[in-house]
Amino acid sequence: MRITSGVMIDNMMRYLQKNMAKLDKLNQQLASGKQFQVPSENPTGAATTMSIKDAITGSEQYIRNIERSSEWLSNNESALDNAGKILQRARELAVYASNETLASEDKDAIALEIDQLREELMNIANTKVGDRYLFSGMKTDTRPFSESGSLAAGVDFNGDSNSLEREIGPGIKIGVSVDGYSIFKDGIDTLQALSEQIKNDTPATVGGVTINDTQDAIGFLDTIININLKQRASIGAKVNRLELAKSRLEDQKFQSEKLLAKNEDIDITKVITDLKMQETVYRASLAVGARIMQPTLVDFLA
Amino acid sequence: MNYFNTIETALRALRAQQKAMQVTGHNVANANTEGYSRQRAIQTATRPYAYPGMNMPAGAGQVGTGVEVSQIERVRDQFIDGQIREEAQSLGYWEQRYQGLHRMELIFNEPSDTSLSFVFNEFWKSLEDLSVYPEDTATRATVRQRALNLVDGFHSLDDQLVDYKRALNEDVKTTVEEINSLARRIADLNEQIVNVETTGQKANDLMDQRDLLFERLSKLVNVRGSVDGENNLSVTLGGSTLISYGEVHELETVPSGNAEDAVIFKGTSVAVNATGGKLHGLLELRDKEIDDYIGKLDDLASRLITAFNNSHNSGYGLDGSTGIDFFRGSDAATIDITDEIKDPVDGLNRIAAAKDVDGDGTPDIPGDGSNALDLAEVVRESKLFSSNTASFMDYYQSMISTLGVEGQRADQMVANQNVLVDQLKNQRNSISGVSLDEEMANIVKFQQAYNAAAKMISRSDQMLETLLSII
């Protein structure tokens, strides 16, 4: 092949250009920390990045849902815990009141305390977290329990029995409501009936709960305390399930983030090494270029 | 022996070497001229004649009469030129295609935190939040804001693609102008070349220029050329004549539809059949690729609108309202949030997060977020696309990855074509390029021959003088 200085210079320029392009790519990678900037540089990588990011978004949101559900459930739990203590105290008072030898002042005092306990139970039944009532089902803006004003009717329940549902994974839902009616409606009415019975020493009926003597009350309270315990056990189980789901999601998220980093982040050591090598190559090609621009015969002819 | 003949022969030699020197000078001068091919002065011995003698009609052998430059030719391989033109056509197409696809990638800007997929995911997150806090106004406001961001995302992509389509239309017009201008210059050169060649001379430099222009034209559009006996170049474009001798059938663009000017032969209704070169790349991007991607965006928007509204209609707002559409419009350009939802007073309350869960005929507001979950499912999980096999994100991701794959292919093709064209140009340079070494050697060669011829004259003169001094 006949080589002219034009051919050599063209070739040199081309190789310089190629080496510059490689340097530029490595520089971009270093500056952005990413292996590719646009999908065409690595279509599979870009698609993978998008779907991993999608998965991370999902995990993050479900974790957020779980955290809020756990918080809601633990609010329920502590309310039920307090309700349990009140019911327990009421049961103790009922046992105490069943003592035949009790003076009437003492009975009055017991009745008074039971009235106070009822008030407190009412407060707990109407617990509000943020601007939402815990025990009114889906009618979260409605105060669930209110005084009806009539002994026969007992306390009014204004909520519903629907359970709030939370999504903790794609299509996986969990109910986070406690049926307040069975604990609080019966509990409050029982306490009121008990107080009436002790005050007047006659059978009392409040909201469908009839108490002939303190033994009746103890029986009813035991049932309610039992229901309360079951509810709390169920909440505990749910919180456990949420914890498990959360740690699984966090694990997934961690794995996804690792994958994402592997997929698109540069290996800095490698890129810097490559860059150094490329710089050397570029310098070499410049040096070669300087040599290629050889003197011609012109320089030697007088 | 004829002294005068000798002087005449030497004189011819002087002229021939001088001419050769001139050609060398021309080569050196054009060492860096684009498209120039080195020229050679072909020296041939002039016609000899028999020398009449005293006792024979002709003397020993034939006596030469010297040298002349019979032709100045350019050193060029037409076959390589043809190959370069062919590959340049392909290079022109792929360069334009890569540029266009790359531009679209930048428009979609995936993967990044300002892209459609990002605002889309944000919208989904707000719906999930709504399912947890359906009674919260701030959460509802977030849903509406994120939906507006999504709408803006669609609009911005659509706008940018439509703008790019318009810009491409302008490029088409400019390219057509460029084709016309090149064709006119080639036609002018045709006339000049034929004029020169009919006098028996070689129009080397004009032909170099014409080859260069023809090569440029080849990069723009699929042209084919043939050269006839008179060195006249005829060019066809997709089967129709573009240049014949000094005549050009110019192209023009005529408006048709929206930002899609048709390219036809001027004064006819014959459409230009562009199957190669930059023009093909431009037309394909303008009329096919962009429309494809706008179509896919429209599909995304319209199916989302329908499915989302379906779910939204069956749910209940905080105020008990039902049967209200959330989105309106039918494609990426028209998608928007309905006025009912935009309403500054009641809009937020109309976002249907609740259902009638217990079936008692009244909505379970405000605590129920189950319809918000349905909406979230429509957005993230529901298989609305590709015959119900792909979710919104699946469809969008495959669209972006198709764009990436096409862009990568175009990028590789550009690199391949560049290598091919570079190699061919190297070959051509190797044949036609000026080598200063060679030219310098030639200068020495011609100079020596010139000097020798001049010596010849002075010696002949001395000989003649010797003879004359006898008298």
Side-chain angles (χ1 to χ4, degrees), chain B residues 123 126-131 133-148 308-309 311-327 337-343 345-355 363 365-366 368-373 375-376:
Chain B
F123 180 49
S126 75
L127 289 169
E128 283 285 333
D129 283 350
L130 179 66
S131 80
Y133 281 132
E135 55 282 87
D136 182 43
T137 311
T139 308
R140 285 175 175 265
T142 310
V143 169
R144 187 167 69 181
Q145 193 48 50
R146 297 273 166 83
L148 280 172
F308 197 88
N309 279 346
S311 282
H312 195 264
N313 267 310
S314 63
Y316 296 89
L318 213 47
D319 54 1
S321 60
T322 184
I324 288 178
D325 278 350
F326 187 89
F327 286 116
I337 294 175
T338 55
D339 291 337
E340 283 93 336
I341 302 293
K342 273 187 184 167
D343 189 287
V345 183
D346 301 319
L348 291 179
N349 288 339
R350 288 183 182 139
I351 297 174
K355 281 195 205 171
I365 44 180
D368 184 23
S370 54
N371 203 53
L373 285 182
L375 293 173

Side-chain angles (χ1 to χ4, degrees), chain B residues 83-127:
Chain B
Q83 281 181 306
I84 291 180
R85 281 196 296 271
E86 203 150 296
E87 300 307 336
Q89 214 169 87
S90 177
L91 177 63
Y93 166 75
W94 285 110
E95 270 180 356
Q96 184 55 52
R97 185 171 168 78
Y98 174 68
Q99 226 179 64
L101 293 171
H102 186 61
R103 173 73 178 268
M104 280 197 263
E105 278 187 318
L106 295 181
I107 289 176
F108 280 103
N109 198 15
E110 296 284 359
S112 83
D113 288 351
T114 52
S115 59
L116 188 70
S117 65
F118 181 78
V119 289
F120 190 75
N121 270 332
E122 291 291 297
F123 180 49
W124 173 74
K125 279 156 78 176
S126 75
L127 289 169

Side-chain angles (χ1 to χ4, degrees), chain A residues 97 173 200 287:
Chain A
K173 287 167 193 166
N200 307 325

